[in-house]
């Protein structure tokens, strides 16, 4: 087992990895940018090293700085989390060259899966179903011809794309040329690579992904699926496991296909094979994420397997601790990503100081938080402050438990999307499992107005009482300037209001 | 004590009478409530009103109270009656506010979409601010002409900072 | 389903029941004594009613007051939690008479199981193994004769006893008469009933109990066992499920016997059949608790069944939602009861104000708390402030996760037994599962002294920095009396220290 | 600034030098440490010392600091050097304390096991206090004779309250 692991990340995933290490008796090394000196992951780690200015391009993304700290701190392995350097083959390679274990797949697997066109070809070779589409396309004529052959609607996709960038839906021939220019320029500016290809657009698609684990001894297993159809701007918002999109036959088949996909690149570590599923439960390979996924906790809740620990054990060369037949789904788990954003104002980001934080507890509730009361959520990183998961014996129980947990979850000082989650979880289409990736744009028209007389009364009563006490306090301090302030009720609240907009 | 309170677009007359320790009679527009109110800690208060239990967070600044209840925040302006007669804060912000485009969050100016002298429509995007890895377009609340641009691309801005003035 | 449930309890179990109700869409009614107006369960409930002075004999134990509130509030059912009125047959009966559903077994089952001698006879009738022993005994001669027949060591037990009261171990004949007088007077003063009986004392006994659920349609299932051998003064401190005391055969057999025991009293609701297990894995019926048990969460974690919800569903007349073959143990769960008591000073109670509370999070950690930061733990009730559970795929994982969670758990202002739990969970006998009910008295000799140079340095550094900032602040306030205190670092801490002893 | 600090039965000489914002040099008995220290919130502080990360809670009262770290609380007496020379607080409590039997917790007196004039042995139980449903016997720290009993059965007592004096 490793002696000391460096976590090349921040926020909740850094805390998640630190917890796994602690449970394995491994020391942890945190790295932090100037904006993160007071961040939670720095507190939780045994060791902590500064790595530069707030922008991640000058800190968390700088391979040399991470490796320097690894060497200084005596770390024998690096866990990259997700995002940042987690899917950069050069980083994986640089780790090996520095004699430090990269907790993740080999650079070759990252490279193969990182290039969409290569991945597609490998998958076709391995008989993994892919969305009908093309190889890399050349000039405009070739693009138009390919689109007509596949049949509109089609998706134009950047070959180096990912995370929702460099994609465009083209509904009819007339739109093709401007879409082509758009994708190429976005691909060039975002990835430095303007190659693109094309896929058939799957209508009412659902996003279902399969978790896999592979060890260094050639064993690869899957841990069933997660459904991530609830997305906004291609960012997942709510995930669940199992999926309501597929029946048990398709589920088993999809698991087998995911294992085949991973085998095709001799995959080692934790990875996720993403599929598009259509209304007939046909599924098509979309891409493979060669890292731990944000939404991994719901798989842990349903299968009972600690995926981050599995990653670490695999990286030490241990064979998988669990075999395929022992992997069983039990119950249902849902994850709501708690974002610092305002669902009432087009999801504008809402960084700032968390003045009040009360997290839910009790049975079946899991909170993976990256923040604490009193911390100022910085503007430099993504707005996810926590992942709230609910587990239940049935999907209905998981939904009801999540609603209960959301009700207990109090965050003040910044605005969060908690009210959005409540809206989504009570939407008839969500309740019935009738989802697709267009759900939010189709259904969300802002938060419902709740005209509630009782609610208004409580708000008014609370404000009036606070005002009354403020006045009383003022009156007393005037009449007895030497009076101890401790004798006065402290109804008057200060400070928190500073952070309220 | 008697107050004028503003919540949303409604104004209420409220009086507070202390009956006993933690016990209050509160009259909202002639509707009477007997309240058991306790400060639990910091900003957290427990109210029991006719045997219904409520937990709220309250914060105050300049006669504006923020009351957070069940995951939503409400702004309540509370003025005692004398101040209210004089016309205190919370009356209104005047129409001027709408002609000022302010940042809705701390962040960095990515791009200015207009310059001084440009005509803008209502809801037209005028500036892009980046925060938390997201680019956010800020729009004009009213139609008009750009009078002044107070920031430049690349600059960091605070929440509420004046970005662009229209006229 | 019920419309509104009154919870005739306080603390974490009241919160637990409120959460279950909320997830079922049921409104909740809390009751509170004068000491509990600001308690967590009052905040969590929809409705709240005062029921009198702090002593439970004048509030939580007064049947008429509870029923009054039930009627006033329009509650259609009452959940009694554990302790208080939960095992009082007259309360169950009074509820029925008032037309309010008692969420628990019928009064007859409570009565039969509440009297140890009656319960023993019923169990023998049902072929449930009991510890060799006697019926109710008469005069001294009869007692001595019975003890000699069974063979020392024996246990003298009050017929109406429970919860560790009215029990005495008698090792040899000479001790018998004084023990007899002791038990009788304790039984008379505690239960108003001085009848006593006798049992063979099982050496190195382990306490293993089986969770059962019975519905109104005659279905009774078990949800496997919990081991509760870690006790101090007959109070459980750490529990786990499964138990290391028994093998799979014994486990299945014990489950079947527990169902037989419950069937013998036509049991309806959630109940627990407690057994003593000896070193040869013989098990003997000890007693049946006719209520939800403090340690029910570990069964929920291992089986995935929400026991409090099951109680409520059963009380509405629904058949059990789960059948015996579907009940499966998966993984391992441990519960540590967090008590406000000082493990360094003979576990003296430590009520007071909780100045700082930070609870652990992440995968496999469940905290059922009855308190919050800023609350003053009252002197009137039992010292349990929270139940911390850890779940793991294996026992080792559960232990390591619990240690990690205990490390994250911060409570200041009052003293807790968290350091005791760390000691216990790392004790070689605990790690190897070599437990019996004598573990704590045999092994615990106070907390280990950790002479750690680094720790001392950190303590000194923190205190010195705080002193430095206090001095700096004082100097600045002297030199600029009008200066805003906001400009000065707030290193100087106040308030919390008030509660520190 | 230079201090005398007492932790357990040891006394240390400590000096604190502010190098930069949040950066300090702290010398404990000639051993030098460079510290990055931040107040995170309320009483919670983050210290990074030679790249090791520590989170502690600190509270102060009358030159006595309580430092909570990893679930344990430590008492540190800190005096600046001038005060220390004058012999300030924290020196010692004197032998008198041992002859005073005080309540270790708030609770209720259940039973007095001794009365004025009784001889008591060291560790002999002298009074039973109930708190949190538990009866707790409080013992004499030294042998002696009961000089005065300050409470009676049934009475509520506070933590630290004087119960019985010995002589």
């Amino acid at each position: 087992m490793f002696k000391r692991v460096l976590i090349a990340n921040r926020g909740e995933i850094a805390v998640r990895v630190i917890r796994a290490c602690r449970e394995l008796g491994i020391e942890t090394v945190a790295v932090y940018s100037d904006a993160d000196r007071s961040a939670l992951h720095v507190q939780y780690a045994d060791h902590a090293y500064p790595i530069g200015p707030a922008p991640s391009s000058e800190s968390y993304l700088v391979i040399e700085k991470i490796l320097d700290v690894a060497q200084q701190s005596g770390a024998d392995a690096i866990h990259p989390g997700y995002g940042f350097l987690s899917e950069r083959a050069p980083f994986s390679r640089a780790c090996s060259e520095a004699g430090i274990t990269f907790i993740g797949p080999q650079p070759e697997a990252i490279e193969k899966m990182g290039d969409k066109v290569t991945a597609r070809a490998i998958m076709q070779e391995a008989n993994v179903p892919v969305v009908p589409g093309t190889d890399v396309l050349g000039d405009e004529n070739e693009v138009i011809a390919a689109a007509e052959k596949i049949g509109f609607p089609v998706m134009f996709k950047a070959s180096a794309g990912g995370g929702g960038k460099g994609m465009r839906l083209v509904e009819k021939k007339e739109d093709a040329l401007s879409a082509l220019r758009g994708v190429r320029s976005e691909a060039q500016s975002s990835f430095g690579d303007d190659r693109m290809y094309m896929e058939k657009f799957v209508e009412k698609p659902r996003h279902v992904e399969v978790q896999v684990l592979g060890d260094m001894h050639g064993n690869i297993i899957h841990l069933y699926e997660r459904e991530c159809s609830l997305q906004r701007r291609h960012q997942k918002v709510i995930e669940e496991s199992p999926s309501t999109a597929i029946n048990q036959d398709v589920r088993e088949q999809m698991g087998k296909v995911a294992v085949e996909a991973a085998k095709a690149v001799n995959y080692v570590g934790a990875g996720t094979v993403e599929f598009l599923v259509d209304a007939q439960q046909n599924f098509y390979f979309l891409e493979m994420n060669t890292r731990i996924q944000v939404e991994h906790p719901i798989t842990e809740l349903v299968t009972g397997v600690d995926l981050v620990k599995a990653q670490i054990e695999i990286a030490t060369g241990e064979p998988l601790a669990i075999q395929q037949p022992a992997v069983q789904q039990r119950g249902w788990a849902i994850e709501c990503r708690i974002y610092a954003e305002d669902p009432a104002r087009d999801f504008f980001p809402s960084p700032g100081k968390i003045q009040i934080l009360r997290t839910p507890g009790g049975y079946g509730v899991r909170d993976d938080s990256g923040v604490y009361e009193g911390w100022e959520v910085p503007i430099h990183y993504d707005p996810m402050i926590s992942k709230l998961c609910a587990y239940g014996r049935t999907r209905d129980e998981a939904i009801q438990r999540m609603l209960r947990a959301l009700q207990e979850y109090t965050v003040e000082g910044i605005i969060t999307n908690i009210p959005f989650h409540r809206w989504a979880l009570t939407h008839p289409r969500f309740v019935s499992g009738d989802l697709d990736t267009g759900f939010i744009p189709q259904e969300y028209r802002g938060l419902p107005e709740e005209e509630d007389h009782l609610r208004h009364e409580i708000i008014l009563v609370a404000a009036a009482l606070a005002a009354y006490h403020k006045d009383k306090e003022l009156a007393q301090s005037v009449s007895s300037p030497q009076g101890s302030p401790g004798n006065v009720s402290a109804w008057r609240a200060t400070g928190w209001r500073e952070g309220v907009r | 004590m008697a107050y004028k309170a503003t919540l949303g677009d409604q104004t209420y007359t409220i009086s507070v009478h202390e009956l006993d320790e933690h016990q209050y009679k509160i009259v909202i527009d002639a509707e009477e409530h007997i309240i058991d109110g306790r400060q639990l800690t910091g900003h957290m208060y427990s109210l029991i009103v006719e045997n219904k239990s409520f937990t709220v967070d309250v914060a105050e600044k300049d006669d504006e109270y923020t009351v957070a209840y069940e995951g939503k925040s409400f702004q309540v302006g509370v003025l005692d009656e004398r101040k209210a007669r004089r016309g205190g804060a919370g009356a209104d912000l005047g129409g001027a506010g709408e002609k000022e485009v302010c940042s809705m969050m701390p962040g960095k100016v990515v791009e200015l979409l207009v310059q001084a002298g440009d005509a803008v429509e209502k809801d037209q995007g005028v500036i892009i601010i980046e925060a938390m890895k997201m680019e956010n377009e800020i729009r004009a609340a009213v139609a008009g002409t750009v009078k002044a641009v107070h920031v430049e691309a690349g600059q960091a801005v605070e929440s509420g900072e004046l970005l662009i003035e229209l006229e």
Side-chain angles (χ1 to χ4, degrees), chain A, chain B:
Chain A
M1 191 47 69
F2 303 117
K3 182 178 173 294
R4 193 171 291 164
V5 168
L6 184 151
I7 297 97
N9 217 305
R10 62 179 301 285
E12 70 82 22
I13 192 62
V15 172
R16 171 74 187 89
V17 176
I18 290 169
R19 284 174 166 153
C21 289
R22 187 154 288 166
E23 293 173 17
L24 289 167
I26 301 170
E27 284 182 40
T28 51
V29 181
V31 292
Y32 58 93
S33 75
D34 292 346
D36 274 342
R37 165 61 184 85
S38 298
L40 193 63
H41 73 284
V42 175
Q43 293 174 51
Y44 271 57
D46 300 309
H47 306 262
Y49 289 76
I51 49 163
S56 45
S57 58
E58 300 170 46
S59 49
Y60 297 106
L61 285 170
V62 184
I63 293 179
E64 304 76 48
K65 287 186 179 180
I66 304 290
L67 287 176
D68 268 4
V69 171
Q71 252 135 3
Q72 266 187 65
S73 64
D76 44 6
I78 294 180
H79 194 299
Y82 52 70
F84 291 140
L85 297 172
S86 61
E87 292 181 289
R88 304 265 175 110
F91 181 57
S92 167
R93 204 165 270 131
C95 288
S96 317
E97 282 162 9
I100 292 163
T101 304
F102 175 77
I103 300 176
Q106 334 79 293
E108 297 74 28
I110 299 175
E111 268 163 355
K112 284 175 185 162
M113 287 303 188
D115 185 272
K116 303 302 159 206
V117 173
T118 309
R120 211 180 133 81
I122 296 172
M123 290 304 109
Q124 281 178 300
E125 186 79 14
N127 292 317
V128 171
V130 297
V131 178
T134 68
D135 281 339
V136 171
L137 292 168
D139 67 9
E140 291 178 0
N141 293 337
E142 193 181 344
V143 170
I144 301 287
E148 290 194 308
K149 189 173 160 216
I150 291 173
F152 290 96
V154 295
M155 288 293 280
F156 288 3
K157 293 191 166 190
S159 188
K165 280 210 165 175
M167 278 168 61
R168 207 148 303 197
L169 169 63
V170 188
E171 308 238 22
K172 51 189 191 298
K173 191 178 167 183
E174 299 85 84
D175 302 338
L177 285 185
S178 84
L180 178 60
R181 281 190 287 270
V183 167
R184 286 219 197 270
S185 79
E186 195 170 319
Q188 183 63 45
S189 68
S190 294
F191 316 111
D193 174 355
D194 76 347
R195 291 174 306 145
M196 60 78 69
Y197 66 105
M198 184 186 304
E199 276 176 0
K200 172 86 188 146
F201 176 69
V202 176
E203 299 197 55
K204 293 201 99 196
R206 298 175 70 140
H207 176 120
V208 181
E209 60 187 29
V210 176
Q211 176 71 51
V212 297
L213 284 178
D215 66 18
M216 291 181 189
H217 311 280
N219 305 305
I220 300 186
I221 63 171
H222 71 84
L223 292 99
Y224 292 99
E225 84 283 9
R226 294 183 286 261
E227 170 148 12
C228 315
S229 296
L230 238 80
Q231 305 181 352
R232 207 181 62 80
R233 294 194 191 178
H234 300 285
Q235 288 294 329
K236 297 164 187 170
V237 183
I238 300 178
E239 300 98 341
E240 60 185 303
S241 179
S243 162
T244 57
I246 52 177
N247 62 32
Q248 195 58 31
D249 280 354
V250 175
R251 176 171 291 121
E252 296 293 345
Q253 200 190 330
M254 201 181 245
K256 286 200 186 86
V257 168
V259 169
E260 289 310 312
K263 280 196 171 147
V265 293
N266 301 312
Y267 197 79
V268 172
T272 297
V273 184
E274 296 191 339
F275 296 100
L276 273 189
V277 179
D278 69 17
Q280 288 72 47
Q281 305 194 25
N282 297 306
F283 59 90
Y284 306 101
F285 174 85
L286 201 61
E287 64 179 20
M288 181 169 184
N289 294 319
T290 56
R291 50 162 164 85
I292 193 77
Q293 199 92 327
V294 175
E295 59 271 21
H296 75 273
I298 54 175
T299 298
E300 295 181 326
L301 291 173
V302 169
T303 64
V305 177
D306 185 322
L307 293 169
V308 176
K309 266 188 208 165
Q311 286 188 296
I312 297 170
E313 288 164 355
I314 288 166
T316 66
E318 288 178 30
L320 291 175
I322 187 166
Q323 312 303 315
Q324 191 68 62
V327 179
Q328 291 185 325
Q329 293 181 307
R330 186 172 80 178
W332 212 283
I334 299 178
E335 173 179 280
C336 288
R337 300 190 185 189
I338 311 296
Y339 288 125
E341 61 182 25
D342 187 349
R345 295 197 301 181
D346 202 24
F347 299 95
F348 262 47
S350 174
K353 185 163 180 178
I354 297 177
Q355 301 282 358
I356 299 177
L357 180 64
R358 292 194 294 270
T359 53
Y363 180 41
V365 173
R366 169 180 179 179
D367 187 39
D368 280 84
S369 177
V371 303
Y372 59 91
E373 185 174 292
W375 192 53
E376 185 151 343
V377 181
I379 63 167
H380 307 284
Y381 312 107
D382 85 55
M384 196 173 72
I385 59 168
S386 161
K387 302 183 315 202
L388 180 63
C389 294
Y391 173 84
R393 205 166 58 78
T394 61
R395 185 170 187 265
D396 180 57
E397 185 171 78
I399 292 175
Q400 295 307 319
R401 187 161 285 144
M402 180 61 91
L403 285 168
R404 187 270 290 173
L406 289 168
Q407 191 177 350
E408 292 179 18
Y409 214 127
T410 303
V411 188
E412 298 299 335
I414 61 171
I415 298 168
T416 72
N417 65 341
I418 289 174
F420 169 83
H421 286 301
R422 291 197 194 188
W423 168 85
L425 292 172
T426 51
H427 192 288
R429 278 187 59 193
F430 186 90
V431 172
S432 67
D434 171 24
L435 303 174
D436 64 65
T437 57
F439 177 82
I440 295 176
Q442 284 153 26
E443 304 289 345
Y444 186 65
R445 298 286 170 270
L447 294 172
E449 278 296 321
E450 291 163 71
E451 267 308 324
D452 179 342
H453 181 63
L454 181 63
R455 181 187 302 261
H456 274 189
E457 271 173 15
I458 291 309
I459 304 306
L460 290 170
V461 160
L465 266 185
Y468 174 76
H469 282 268
K470 180 187 159 194
D471 289 345
K472 196 172 157 186
E473 191 183 336
L474 281 174
Q476 291 189 357
S477 72
V478 168
S479 66
S480 67
Q482 304 302 325
S484 153
N487 294 334
V488 191
S489 162
W491 263 88
R492 187 180 174 194
T494 50
W496 164 45
R497 186 57 179 72
E498 303 288 329
V500 172
R501 294 198 312 246
Chain B
M1 293 287 284
Y3 298 95
K4 288 277 176 202
T6 315
L7 171 58
D9 48 12
Q10 292 257 47
T11 300
Y12 305 83
T13 302
I14 304 185
S15 66
V16 178
H17 313 267
E18 194 164 350
L19 303 178
D20 201 347
E21 206 187 2
H22 305 303
Q23 303 296 320
Y24 306 89
K25 183 173 81 178
I26 297 185
V27 185
I28 304 176
D29 288 349
E31 204 172 341
E32 196 175 301
H33 304 275
I34 304 298
I35 313 286
D36 177 336
R38 314 272 172 138
Q39 180 175 28
L40 301 179
T41 169
H43 308 279
M44 184 165 54
Y45 304 95
S46 168
L47 305 176
I48 297 185
V49 189
E50 284 131 41
N51 293 113
K52 289 196 180 66
S53 175
F54 304 93
T55 307
V56 296
D57 292 290
V58 184
E60 182 266 344
K61 194 182 178 184
D62 304 335
D63 295 328
E64 275 285 319
Y65 289 77
T66 302
V67 182
Y69 174 60
E70 291 201 335
K72 286 200 184 169
S73 287
F74 302 83
Q75 302 296 326
V76 187
V78 183
L79 288 177
D80 71 37
E81 287 219 311
R82 280 158 306 163
K83 267 202 212 167
R85 277 194 297 272
R86 288 201 307 270
D92 73 351
L93 292 160
E98 300 212 319
K99 297 211 158 174
E100 299 187 339
V101 179
C102 297
S103 181
M104 286 150 127
M105 66 234 155
K108 202 173 79 172
V109 178
V110 174
E111 193 181 348
L112 283 156
L113 303 174
V114 294
Q115 55 188 36
D118 285 1
V120 295
E121 315 257 296
K122 181 171 187 302
D123 284 334
Q124 182 183 331
V126 292
I127 188 168
I128 295 175
I129 306 285
E130 184 189 292
M132 305 185 120
K133 308 274 112 184
M134 298 262 285
E135 297 189 355
N136 306 279
E137 194 179 78
I138 297 187
R139 295 164 191 205
V142 291
T145 307
V146 176
K147 183 179 163 193
V149 175
H150 295 281
V151 292
E152 54 192 46
Q155 180 181 333
V157 294
E158 293 301 310
S159 181
E161 187 168 331
L162 178 63
L163 305 171
I164 290 171
E165 274 178 285
L166 306 178
E167 62 183 0

